[in-house]
Structure formats: C-alpha cells, structure tokens
C-alpha cells in the first residue's frame, strides 16, 4: 500500500486529498454523486429523485463542479449532469464498504 511506505507526501498532494474528503463529507453530495454515477440527470430529476429543492441541488452541483467531480452538457434548455471522475465513485464505494464493515 503506497500510504504505508513511509513516503513523504508533497503539501499540494496532501491539500488535494484533504479537499477531496471535505467535498465528499456532505451526505447530500454523496447522494447526488451516487445518482449521477448511474445516470445522467437534469437538476429537476435529481431534486425529484432525492426529494430535495432544486435550489439545494444546484448549490451542491456548483460545489461538485468546482471539484470536477461532475460535468454537464446542454440539451435544449436543460443542463444534464453526470459523474466526471470514476476515481471518486471508487472512493465512495470503498468508504461504503469501510462504513458497512465497521457497523457489523
């Protein structure tokens, strides 16, 4: 495992890791990413599926876009969002496995 090799990490790398976990530290953002990993959705679809306001979804999508976890494309008047980073979904999967094993 790379983390256990005793390697000193550059401060930029440590900051990026910290910011990644910070971005994933919100349950609403995790729910949105999980949905977008499965299918491309417009804001209203996300809001309906997760029972959130469109404003709340838009706010969270702004954060996820800033971290480049999601991408969007325009289709007519709609912006369609999808997951832009398979590594993030891998991290979420690992976190769920970890959290599930801790509860057992």
């Amino acid at each position: 495992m790379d983390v256990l090799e005793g390697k000193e990490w550059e401060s930029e790398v440590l900051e990026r890791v910290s910011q990644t976990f910070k971005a994933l530290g919100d349950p609403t953002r995790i729910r949105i990413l999980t949905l977008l990993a499965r299918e491309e959705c417009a804001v209203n679809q996300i809001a309906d599926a997760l029972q959130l306001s469109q404003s709340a979804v838009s706010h969270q999508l702004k954060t996820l876009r800033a971290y480049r976890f999601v991408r969007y494309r325009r289709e007519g008047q709609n912006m369609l969002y999808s997951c832009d980073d398979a590594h993030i979904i891998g991290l979420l999967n690992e976190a769920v496995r970890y959290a599930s094993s801790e509860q057992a």
Side-chain angles (χ1 to χ4, degrees), residues 5 13-14 25 27 32 35 37 41 49 55 60 62 70 78 85 90 93 98-99:
E5 288 181 4
V13 171
L14 292 174
I32 291 171
L35 177 62
C41 295
S55 175
Q60 298 300 341
K62 181 179 178 182
V70 299
N78 288 323
D85 192 336
N93 283 330
Y98 173 78

Side-chain angles (χ1 to χ4, degrees), residues 19-37 46 50 52 56-67 69-70 83 88-89 92:
Q19 291 300 314
T20 298
F21 282 110
K22 180 179 177 184
L24 296 176
D26 182 276
T28 300
R29 287 194 289 266
I30 293 171
R31 292 173 65 210
I32 291 171
L33 280 170
T34 301
L35 177 62
L36 294 179
I46 298 168
L50 302 180
L52 299 168
V57 170
S58 292
H59 175 75
Q60 298 300 341
L61 285 170
K62 181 179 178 182
T63 300
L64 293 170
R65 281 194 325 263
Y67 285 98
F69 294 168
V70 299
C83 184
I88 294 302
I89 300 307
L92 286 176

Side-chain angles (χ1 to χ4, degrees), residues 1-103:
M1 217 181 244
D2 291 342
V3 176
L4 300 178
E5 288 181 4
K7 178 180 176 183
E8 285 291 323
W9 299 101
E10 295 179 20
S11 60
E12 296 85 20
V13 171
L14 292 174
E15 183 63 27
R16 178 99 190 242
V17 170
S18 174
Q19 291 300 314
T20 298
F21 282 110
K22 180 179 177 184
L24 296 176
D26 182 276
T28 300
R29 287 194 289 266
I30 293 171
R31 292 173 65 210
I32 291 171
L33 280 170
T34 301
L35 177 62
L36 294 179
R38 289 188 294 244
E39 62 182 309
E40 188 176 57
C41 295
V43 172
N44 65 324
Q45 293 172 304
I46 298 168
D48 290 346
L50 302 180
Q51 297 180 341
L52 299 168
S53 70
Q54 288 187 20
S55 175
V57 170
S58 292
H59 175 75
Q60 298 300 341
L61 285 170
K62 181 179 178 182
T63 300
L64 293 170
R65 281 194 325 263
Y67 285 98
R68 296 183 180 153
F69 294 168
V70 299
R71 66 177 172 255
Y72 64 93
R73 67 179 182 86
R74 182 177 295 280
E75 186 173 282
Q77 292 185 347
N78 288 323
M79 300 298 275
L80 298 175
Y81 291 87
S82 59
C83 184
D84 193 29
D85 192 336
H87 294 102
I88 294 302
I89 300 307
L91 277 173
L92 286 176
N93 283 330
E94 287 298 318
V96 168
R97 279 192 281 277
Y98 173 78
S100 297
S101 69
E102 289 294 309
Q103 292 179 355

